[in-house]
Amino acid sequence: MSTTYRIAPSILSADFAFLGQEVHSVINAGADWIHFDVMDNHYVPNLTFGPMICQAIKPHAKKMDGTPVPMDVHLMVQPVDTLAAMFADAGADYISFHPDASPHVHRSIQAIRAKNCKPGLVFNPAMPLDVLDWVIDDIDLILLMSVNPGFGGQSFIDSTLRKIEAVRKRIEASGKDIRLEVDGGIKGDNIRRVADAGADTFVAGSAIFGKPDYKAVIDQMRAALR
Ligand code: DX5
Ligand code: ZN
C-alpha cells in the first residue's frame, strides 16, 4: 500500500497581519491541511490565537475548486475540554491535545468525537507513549512533537525518529486508520528521514512561511517524499 503524504503548513509562522491571504497562498501552493497552533501562556509560555480566528479562517480553507482543506487544530492548552468544544464549533476538523494537559484523557477524546471532530493525541519529545495502550482505538491522529512545544523555528530533535518507528508499529498492530503526524523543525532536507521512520503527515511552519515562494518549498518537500 502506498502512503498518502500530507503537508500541513503551520500558520504560526505566517504574517498575522495578512492571515486570510496567507491561508489562500499556502493552499494555492499545495498545502493539504492547515495546522493551527493554539497556545495559552499556561501549558506553554507563548500565546497565539483562539477559536474566533479559527472560525474566521474556516471559509477560506478551501482549494480553488472549492474542495475543503482540513483545519488541523493543535491545542497546547490546559485545561483541554472547554477550548476543544469551542474549536469544534469554530470549524476544526482534527483536534489534538496533549494527554498530560487533561486529567481525563478518554473523556476529552470522547468529547471531541461527540462534536464530530477527529481526535488526536500529541506527545512531547520526552513523553512516554503508554497512554496509547488504552486509547489508540479511539483516535484518528497521533502527533509527535519533534521540538518542545511553544515556538516555531526550533531544530528537529533526532530521538523523535525512534519514537516515530515505535508509534508506526503501534498503529500497524492496532489495524486502525490513524494518521502519524510530526511537528517541529521539518524542512526539505529532513522530511525524507521523517517519512522513512514512518510518518505520513508533516507540519512545517518556518520552513514554508520563512521563504518567499511557498510553492517552491512544498514542491521540494513532495519531491523528497517521492
Ligand atoms: C510548536 C508548534 C509547531 C510549529 C512548528 O509548538 O506546534 O507547529 O509551528 O514550527 P517549525 O516548522 O518552524 O518548527
Ligand atoms: Zn503544532
Side-chain angles (χ1 to χ4, degrees), residues 35 37 74 76 143 145 183 203:
H35 186 80
D37 285 306
H74 172 193
M76 287 159 273
L143 175 53
M145 294 306 300
D183 184 359
V203 178

Side-chain angles (χ1 to χ4, degrees), residues 93-159:
D93 294 280
Y94 289 85
I95 300 181
S96 306
F97 65 96
H98 291 247
D100 45 303
S102 170
H104 306 293
V105 172
H106 185 271
R107 177 185 291 160
S108 298
I109 292 169
Q110 300 304 320
I112 293 167
R113 180 80 68 200
K115 289 279 203 177
N116 290 319
C117 294
K118 296 188 167 84
L121 283 182
V122 196
F123 295 89
N124 287 329
M127 275 296 288
L129 300 168
D130 305 22
V131 67
L132 290 176
D133 289 344
W134 314 108
V135 294
I136 195 163
D137 290 339
D138 302 314
I139 56 178
D140 292 303
L141 175 75
I142 298 170
L143 175 53
L144 292 185
M145 294 306 300
S146 41
V147 297
N148 288 298
F151 302 95
Q154 304 179 76
S155 299
F156 187 90
I157 297 171
D158 274 327
S159 63

